[in-house]
Amino acid sequence: MKFRFALAIAASAMLAAAGVTSAQQPIVIKFSHVVAVDTPKGKAAEYFKKLAEERTKGRVKVEVYPNSTLFKDGEEMEALQLGSVQMLAPSLAKFGPLGVREFEVFDLPYIFDGYDDLHKVTSGPVGAMLFKKLESKNILGLAYWDNGFKDMSANKALRVPADYKGIKMRIQSSKVLGDQMKALGAIPQVMAFSEVYQALQTGVVDGTENPPSNFFTQKMNEVQKFLTLTNHGYLGYAVIVNKKFWEGLPADVRTALDGAMKDATKYANDIAKKENDDALEAVRKTGKTEIITPTPEQRDAMKKALIVVHKDNESRVGKETIAEVYREVGFKP
Ligand code: LMR
């Protein structure tokens, strides 16, 4: 009896070492992100959890931590590399500090006309090249998820570049975005997403840029009097995992999770536009923020001021990477 007990212990230890856990001990995937649940990313993360748990029949448990409750910007990448969290979906504008600056090609102003352009790039050679670059950092890229196109906000009306002169604008940790604000005469300030509401409220910064879904779900309409529909740039995500963890999963579990991710990606990209349209409508309804639609002349003036950012960042983002994206989307500078 004693011997059989010892055998069972040894066997379960061996299985655990091989990454196989018993029914009582599911494989836990902590999935941390910084936005609200009621956003394209928040909803897609929940959908992935549902599919992953169903399809692995409970062998995998996905714990989603929204709203920076587990890790904030500036902490989460390191936490992923160390294995304190297994899955993240940072904005493509947040990979520069990790040393993969080519991701900032997505931040170039006016480079994409719409979601179709984006999908040409994420499903093409540039999308694949970017994921390849993550591997040496113990990170695996699984998918690209859409959010939407950004609008500028402040407590003053922002119509033309002159309106930006001297105002402090919060940005994500991307040098391209810093250059974008500087090209408008504004002062960029990198700040974690979780700190933006308070910074706007207390005047640490004057304004920011967001897709409507982030603007509305962070209640920025309470602290920003004007939102200008500039649509000047894109914000989307790369879903990434700790490479060692992912590759150590039992093959059947990994297959099920890859399938769940594929379906969650379709879901994310299907809902993104509507989520943003609805959020903009919701901002309008609150009546707290005036929504400005720029005239064609104002839009042209913004474009003219911002297009220099492409050339200025050739050495950072890669001349070839930019040229490839231009080709894929048919962009003519
Ligand atoms: C931001 O920091 O503004 C965004 O990256 C937040 C997000 O994840 O959408």
Side-chain angles (χ1 to χ4, degrees), residues 34-35 41 73 91 94 147 170 172 193 210 214 235 237:
V34 301
V35 294
K41 177 163 65 179
D73 291 332
S91 149
K94 291 177 181 168
N147 188 338
R170 179 268 170 175
Q172 306 170 77
F193 189 63
N210 278 293
N214 280 355
L235 193 155
Y237 310 106

PDB file of all heavy atoms in Angstrom, residues 34-35 41 73 91 94 147 170 172 193 210 214 235 237, ligand 1:
ATOM      1  N   VAL A  34      -4.619  46.558 -19.740  1.00  0.00           N
ATOM      2  CA  VAL A  34      -4.747  47.847 -19.035  1.00  0.00           C
ATOM      3  C   VAL A  34      -6.068  48.576 -19.288  1.00  0.00           C
ATOM      4  O   VAL A  34      -6.301  49.639 -18.712  1.00  0.00           O
ATOM      5  CB  VAL A  34      -3.560  48.794 -19.381  1.00  0.00           C
ATOM      6  CG1 VAL A  34      -2.234  48.148 -18.992  1.00  0.00           C
ATOM      7  CG2 VAL A  34      -3.549  49.188 -20.859  1.00  0.00           C
ATOM      8  N   VAL A  35      -6.927  48.011 -20.159  1.00  0.00           N
ATOM      9  CA  VAL A  35      -8.165  48.737 -20.475  1.00  0.00           C
ATOM     10  C   VAL A  35      -9.368  48.134 -19.750  1.00  0.00           C
ATOM     11  O   VAL A  35      -9.258  47.105 -19.084  1.00  0.00           O
ATOM     12  CB  VAL A  35      -8.430  48.784 -22.015  1.00  0.00           C
ATOM     13  CG1 VAL A  35      -7.367  49.597 -22.708  1.00  0.00           C
ATOM     14  CG2 VAL A  35      -8.563  47.395 -22.604  1.00  0.00           C
ATOM     15  N   LYS A  41     -10.644  45.111 -26.709  1.00  0.00           N
ATOM     16  CA  LYS A  41      -9.657  44.188 -26.125  1.00  0.00           C
ATOM     17  C   LYS A  41     -10.217  43.480 -24.906  1.00  0.00           C
ATOM     18  O   LYS A  41     -10.023  42.272 -24.738  1.00  0.00           O
ATOM     19  CB  LYS A  41      -8.380  44.954 -25.765  1.00  0.00           C
ATOM     20  CG  LYS A  41      -7.325  44.098 -25.079  1.00  0.00           C
ATOM     21  CD  LYS A  41      -5.933  44.729 -25.080  1.00  0.00           C
ATOM     22  CE  LYS A  41      -5.812  45.995 -24.280  1.00  0.00           C
ATOM     23  NZ  LYS A  41      -4.429  46.544 -24.315  1.00  0.00           N
ATOM     24  N   ASP A  73       1.388  49.511 -17.537  1.00  0.00           N
ATOM     25  CA  ASP A  73       2.378  49.804 -18.566  1.00  0.00           C
ATOM     26  C   ASP A  73       3.718  49.997 -17.873  1.00  0.00           C
ATOM     27  O   ASP A  73       3.777  50.588 -16.789  1.00  0.00           O
ATOM     28  CB  ASP A  73       2.052  51.133 -19.261  1.00  0.00           C
ATOM     29  CG  ASP A  73       0.810  51.064 -20.104  1.00  0.00           C
ATOM     30  OD1 ASP A  73       0.481  49.980 -20.603  1.00  0.00           O
ATOM     31  OD2 ASP A  73       0.162  52.120 -20.277  1.00  0.00           O
ATOM     32  N   SER A  91      -0.534  47.513 -26.547  1.00  0.00           N
ATOM     33  CA  SER A  91      -0.670  48.286 -27.781  1.00  0.00           C
ATOM     34  C   SER A  91       0.634  48.177 -28.567  1.00  0.00           C
ATOM     35  O   SER A  91       1.724  48.049 -28.001  1.00  0.00           O
ATOM     36  CB  SER A  91      -0.958  49.733 -27.380  1.00  0.00           C
ATOM     37  OG  SER A  91      -0.431  50.622 -28.306  1.00  0.00           O
ATOM     38  N   LYS A  94       3.813  50.108 -27.720  1.00  0.00           N
ATOM     39  CA  LYS A  94       4.525  49.900 -26.446  1.00  0.00           C
ATOM     40  C   LYS A  94       5.661  48.894 -26.553  1.00  0.00           C
ATOM     41  O   LYS A  94       6.134  48.376 -25.535  1.00  0.00           O
ATOM     42  CB  LYS A  94       3.515  49.481 -25.373  1.00  0.00           C
ATOM     43  CG  LYS A  94       2.587  50.630 -25.002  1.00  0.00           C
ATOM     44  CD  LYS A  94       1.516  50.274 -24.006  1.00  0.00           C
ATOM     45  CE  LYS A  94       0.626  51.476 -23.720  1.00  0.00           C
ATOM     46  NZ  LYS A  94      -0.592  51.139 -22.991  1.00  0.00           N
ATOM     47  N   ASN A 147      -7.995  47.821 -32.253  1.00  0.00           N
ATOM     48  CA  ASN A 147      -8.884  48.709 -31.508  1.00  0.00           C
ATOM     49  C   ASN A 147      -9.419  49.676 -32.547  1.00  0.00           C
ATOM     50  O   ASN A 147     -10.342  49.315 -33.273  1.00  0.00           O
ATOM     51  CB  ASN A 147      -8.193  49.402 -30.327  1.00  0.00           C
ATOM     52  CG  ASN A 147      -9.192  50.171 -29.467  1.00  0.00           C
ATOM     53  OD1 ASN A 147     -10.263  50.528 -29.940  1.00  0.00           O
ATOM     54  ND2 ASN A 147      -8.876  50.422 -28.225  1.00  0.00           N
ATOM     55  N   ARG A 170      -0.402  63.694 -23.305  1.00  0.00           N
ATOM     56  CA  ARG A 170       0.011  62.352 -22.871  1.00  0.00           C
ATOM     57  C   ARG A 170       0.119  61.437 -24.094  1.00  0.00           C
ATOM     58  O   ARG A 170      -0.744  61.437 -24.967  1.00  0.00           O
ATOM     59  CB  ARG A 170      -1.022  61.780 -21.908  1.00  0.00           C
ATOM     60  CG  ARG A 170      -0.688  60.366 -21.417  1.00  0.00           C
ATOM     61  CD  ARG A 170      -1.297  59.263 -22.275  1.00  0.00           C
ATOM     62  NE  ARG A 170      -0.768  57.951 -21.920  1.00  0.00           N
ATOM     63  CZ  ARG A 170      -1.204  56.812 -22.441  1.00  0.00           C
ATOM     64  NH1 ARG A 170      -2.179  56.807 -23.315  1.00  0.00           N
ATOM     65  NH2 ARG A 170      -0.652  55.661 -22.108  1.00  0.00           N
ATOM     66  N   GLN A 172       1.622  57.252 -25.378  1.00  0.00           N
ATOM     67  CA  GLN A 172       2.144  55.940 -25.015  1.00  0.00           C
ATOM     68  C   GLN A 172       3.663  55.974 -25.246  1.00  0.00           C
ATOM     69  O   GLN A 172       4.186  56.911 -25.852  1.00  0.00           O
ATOM     70  CB  GLN A 172       1.514  54.870 -25.896  1.00  0.00           C
ATOM     71  CG  GLN A 172      -0.002  54.896 -25.902  1.00  0.00           C
ATOM     72  CD  GLN A 172      -0.554  53.974 -26.971  1.00  0.00           C
ATOM     73  OE1 GLN A 172      -0.575  52.762 -26.801  1.00  0.00           O
ATOM     74  NE2 GLN A 172      -0.974  54.533 -28.087  1.00  0.00           N
ATOM     75  N   PHE A 193      -1.159  54.172 -18.954  1.00  0.00           N
ATOM     76  CA  PHE A 193      -2.578  54.378 -19.250  1.00  0.00           C
ATOM     77  C   PHE A 193      -3.392  54.556 -17.961  1.00  0.00           C
ATOM     78  O   PHE A 193      -4.311  55.377 -17.907  1.00  0.00           O
ATOM     79  CB  PHE A 193      -3.100  53.175 -20.047  1.00  0.00           C
ATOM     80  CG  PHE A 193      -4.481  53.352 -20.594  1.00  0.00           C
ATOM     81  CD1 PHE A 193      -4.771  54.342 -21.519  1.00  0.00           C
ATOM     82  CD2 PHE A 193      -5.508  52.499 -20.193  1.00  0.00           C
ATOM     83  CE1 PHE A 193      -6.052  54.498 -22.031  1.00  0.00           C
ATOM     84  CE2 PHE A 193      -6.791  52.641 -20.700  1.00  0.00           C
ATOM     85  CZ  PHE A 193      -7.066  53.640 -21.622  1.00  0.00           C
ATOM     86  N   ASN A 210      -6.736  59.088 -28.220  1.00  0.00           N
ATOM     87  CA  ASN A 210      -7.343  57.794 -27.914  1.00  0.00           C
ATOM     88  C   ASN A 210      -8.317  57.389 -29.003  1.00  0.00           C
ATOM     89  O   ASN A 210      -8.949  58.259 -29.606  1.00  0.00           O
ATOM     90  CB  ASN A 210      -8.228  57.900 -26.658  1.00  0.00           C
ATOM     91  CG  ASN A 210      -7.474  57.803 -25.367  1.00  0.00           C
ATOM     92  OD1 ASN A 210      -6.934  56.770 -25.031  1.00  0.00           O
ATOM     93  ND2 ASN A 210      -7.443  58.908 -24.654  1.00  0.00           N
ATOM     94  N   ASN A 214     -11.520  53.756 -25.713  1.00  0.00           N
ATOM     95  CA  ASN A 214     -10.702  54.023 -24.522  1.00  0.00           C
ATOM     96  C   ASN A 214     -11.093  55.337 -23.864  1.00  0.00           C
ATOM     97  O   ASN A 214     -11.136  55.445 -22.638  1.00  0.00           O
ATOM     98  CB  ASN A 214      -9.210  54.066 -24.887  1.00  0.00           C
ATOM     99  CG  ASN A 214      -8.617  52.669 -25.020  1.00  0.00           C
ATOM    100  OD1 ASN A 214      -9.288  51.670 -24.746  1.00  0.00           O
ATOM    101  ND2 ASN A 214      -7.375  52.588 -25.453  1.00  0.00           N
ATOM    102  N   LEU A 235      -4.555  52.584 -33.253  1.00  0.00           N
ATOM    103  CA  LEU A 235      -4.149  51.901 -32.021  1.00  0.00           C
ATOM    104  C   LEU A 235      -4.684  50.469 -32.062  1.00  0.00           C
ATOM    105  O   LEU A 235      -5.888  50.251 -32.187  1.00  0.00           O
ATOM    106  CB  LEU A 235      -4.690  52.632 -30.792  1.00  0.00           C
ATOM    107  CG  LEU A 235      -4.093  52.227 -29.435  1.00  0.00           C
ATOM    108  CD1 LEU A 235      -4.217  53.366 -28.433  1.00  0.00           C
ATOM    109  CD2 LEU A 235      -4.717  50.976 -28.856  1.00  0.00           C
ATOM    110  N   TYR A 237      -3.310  46.029 -31.093  1.00  0.00           N
ATOM    111  CA  TYR A 237      -2.573  45.230 -30.114  1.00  0.00           C
ATOM    112  C   TYR A 237      -1.880  44.014 -30.724  1.00  0.00           C
ATOM    113  O   TYR A 237      -2.322  43.479 -31.732  1.00  0.00           O
ATOM    114  CB  TYR A 237      -3.550  44.714 -29.050  1.00  0.00           C
ATOM    115  CG  TYR A 237      -4.419  45.799 -28.486  1.00  0.00           C
ATOM    116  CD1 TYR A 237      -5.769  45.902 -28.826  1.00  0.00           C
ATOM    117  CD2 TYR A 237      -3.873  46.755 -27.634  1.00  0.00           C
ATOM    118  CE1 TYR A 237      -6.563  46.921 -28.318  1.00  0.00           C
ATOM    119  CE2 TYR A 237      -4.664  47.779 -27.115  1.00  0.00           C
ATOM    120  CZ  TYR A 237      -6.005  47.855 -27.465  1.00  0.00           C
ATOM    121  OH  TYR A 237      -6.765  48.871 -26.958  1.00  0.00           O
TER     122      TYR A 237
HETATM  123  C1  LMR B   1      -2.892  53.543 -24.146  1.00  0.00           C
HETATM  124  O1  LMR B   1      -1.995  53.455 -23.310  1.00  0.00           O
HETATM  125  O2  LMR B   1      -3.401  54.627 -24.469  1.00  0.00           O
HETATM  126  C2  LMR B   1      -3.409  52.301 -24.794  1.00  0.00           C
HETATM  127  O3  LMR B   1      -2.320  51.524 -25.191  1.00  0.00           O
HETATM  128  C3  LMR B   1      -4.273  51.513 -23.866  1.00  0.00           C
HETATM  129  C4  LMR B   1      -4.737  50.257 -24.531  1.00  0.00           C
HETATM  130  O4  LMR B   1      -4.279  49.183 -24.168  1.00  0.00           O
HETATM  131  O5  LMR B   1      -5.602  50.388 -25.415  1.00  0.00           O
END
